[in-house]
Amino acid sequence: MIQKNLMILALFFLSILNSCSKEDGPSTPPNTAPVMEARVFNVSTNISDTYVIGTITATDADKDDLLLFYLDKNSYDLFEITRQGELSLAPGKKLVSGKYSPHDLKVIVHDGSIGVNADVTINVTE
């Protein structure tokens, strides 16, 4: 009888241990998307292709996410953006006042999981 009770008790504890899995622990919070706002820059026609027109910024509630920037829409391939968000003319490109101005770009920021975009407008002045 004692062996039977011990066996039942052992099976009971094994079933409890088996029901506790790693999935029962704390879960990883879901990744949140970065936030980036539309921007407008005004530049002169005489800027060089090394001149930084402006730096696009974004925030992310997930503080450890590395944010990388890309151009999705590039007006006549005139512009480039660094992975850190510095916007400039592409190498060898020049701006002409009134020609195709304003330039409408679409910038994407990606946190490794989620990408969002924002419009960037570049107005060219004399």
Side-chain angles (χ1 to χ4, degrees):
M1 182 77 163
I2 293 178
Q3 282 184 331
K4 184 177 177 185
N5 287 341
L6 286 175
M7 180 69 85
I8 292 172
L9 190 59
L11 288 173
F12 174 73
F13 283 115
L14 283 175
S15 67
I16 289 175
L17 286 175
N18 190 36
S19 70
C20 295
S21 68
K22 293 180 184 177
E23 295 174 10
D24 294 337
S27 63
T28 304
N31 185 42
T32 58
V35 176
M36 180 174 52
E37 295 186 15
R39 297 286 308 267
V40 176
F41 297 103
N42 298 307
V43 296
S44 171
T45 57
N46 62 354
I47 65 169
S48 71
D49 59 8
T50 59
Y51 177 81
V52 176
I53 295 168
T55 301
I56 309 299
T57 59
T59 58
D60 195 329
D62 306 310
K63 297 297 182 197
D64 293 333
D65 284 354
L66 175 64
L67 301 179
L68 300 175
F69 295 85
Y70 306 91
L71 280 178
D72 184 44
K73 177 183 170 191
N74 188 351
S75 180
Y76 302 95
D77 294 324
L78 286 174
F79 303 93
E80 67 180 3
I81 193 166
T82 66
R83 300 285 175 140
Q84 296 76 32
E86 291 184 341
L87 185 65
S88 63
L89 284 173
K93 300 290 183 170
K94 297 206 179 292
L95 294 176
V96 177
S97 178
K99 188 173 184 181
Y100 314 119
S101 181
H103 296 282
D104 296 317
L105 311 176
K106 189 164 297 289
V107 174
I108 295 176
V109 62
H110 205 280
D111 70 0
S113 297
I114 303 172
V116 297
N117 62 57
D119 294 324
V120 173
T121 301
I122 301 174
N123 296 312
V124 181
T125 62
E126 288 294 328

